[in-house]
Amino acid sequence: MTRILPTAVLALSVAVPALASERTYQCNDGQQRRIKQVDSQTVWLIDSEAGGEERRELLSQAVSASGVRYASLRSEWWEKGDSALLNRLGQNQVQCELVAQAVTEDRIMVQIGWRERRAFPGATLEVQLLDVSLADAPAKVISAKTSVLEVGIPLAVALPFKPAEIDRRMTYAVSVRLTQDGKLLMLNTTRNTVLTRGAGKVAEVLLVAPDKP
């Protein structure tokens, strides 16, 4: 279970780069660098050293106004499309361009908000990618992520999935539920389709309180 530092309600358009198991960049300092995906939140930044040795540094996803940014105490790796910037303490900024990647995992970006002017610190947010193709059968869960809100509400949640599990003939939608102490606080009541039948990889989800019996 991850913990999210949330920010504001439904906002800017979001770029959704594919998650690749490994991405190779050529940088303007003459070196090639590789990004190896550990999970949706963490990567290894791999530098090639003289003599063929490698130096690895573990970076975690950080808040970013655009693109995808990973950071540690001494390094920052910021991807925007096929370009990336590397910033290290005490060193000049390095610009890099993507030259190769092996995509084994992709993701959708789910932007979440609600109209109520209140926050739910400590609430549990569950986001699921569902196959909703069959009207007379339960939806099939393709991917799911559970997070605990610390303050406010999340701007966006990245939900990974395996492209091999997606059938272009089927219909997929996002389900979002907010619970606290076992009580359902809010959920989405309209279908938010993604991936197929003209839908993309960004879902804007408005949560509402459940109907009372």
Side-chain angles (χ1 to χ4, degrees):
M1 182 179 293
T2 58
R3 297 186 72 84
I4 291 180
L5 277 173
T7 51
V9 71
L10 301 174
L12 315 166
S13 61
V14 177
V16 189
L19 288 177
S21 58
E22 190 168 290
R23 306 185 285 282
T24 302
Y25 290 81
Q26 181 64 51
C27 302
N28 64 355
D29 62 353
Q31 292 190 42
Q32 279 197 347
R33 291 177 172 86
R34 290 184 291 132
I35 296 295
K36 189 174 182 62
Q37 205 78 39
V38 177
D39 54 38
S40 62
Q41 306 292 323
T42 315
V43 298
W44 286 109
L45 171 59
I46 305 172
D47 289 78
S48 298
E49 301 285 338
E53 297 183 358
E54 292 183 345
R55 182 180 65 181
R56 294 187 171 215
E57 185 177 2
L58 192 64
L59 308 181
S60 298
Q61 189 168 355
V63 174
S64 170
S66 63
V68 181
R69 186 167 69 95
Y70 301 94
S72 66
L73 292 178
R74 64 180 297 270
S75 300
E76 175 191 67
W77 178 265
W78 199 335
E79 297 181 11
K80 297 182 180 182
D82 290 341
S83 300
L85 296 175
L86 173 61
N87 295 299
R88 280 194 167 124
L89 289 176
Q91 300 181 19
N92 293 329
Q93 185 179 78
V94 177
Q95 297 181 354
C96 305
E97 295 294 329
L98 182 68
V99 294
Q101 65 177 331
V103 177
T104 57
E105 189 176 56
D106 205 342
R107 63 181 170 182
I108 58 173
M109 192 66 73
V110 185
Q111 297 176 286
I112 303 164
W114 51 80
R115 293 194 177 96
E116 286 78 0
R117 293 181 176 273
R118 60 168 297 188
F120 297 93
T124 298
L125 183 73
E126 182 182 17
V127 183
Q128 294 182 325
L129 173 62
L130 304 175
D131 182 342
V132 294
S133 305
L134 301 178
D136 57 348
K140 176 184 177 182
V141 178
I142 304 299
S143 178
K145 176 183 280 190
T146 301
S147 308
V148 175
L149 304 187
E150 293 188 357
V151 292
I153 63 174
L155 171 64
V157 173
L159 184 61
F161 67 93
K162 296 184 184 302
E165 296 183 0
I166 302 302
D167 186 333
R168 292 294 167 184
R169 300 169 297 176
M170 302 302 177
T171 303
Y172 300 89
V174 171
S175 170
V176 181
R177 292 165 55 90
L178 187 68
T179 62
Q180 193 161 34
D181 299 326
K183 178 183 177 182
L184 177 62
L185 301 177
M186 285 187 287
L187 73 167
N188 62 317
T189 57
T190 59
R191 177 176 289 187
N192 299 95
T193 56
V194 290
L195 298 177
T196 60
R197 303 186 184 277
K201 293 193 289 184
V202 176
E204 294 186 348
V205 176
L206 182 66
L207 301 185
V208 297
D211 292 334
K212 295 182 179 180

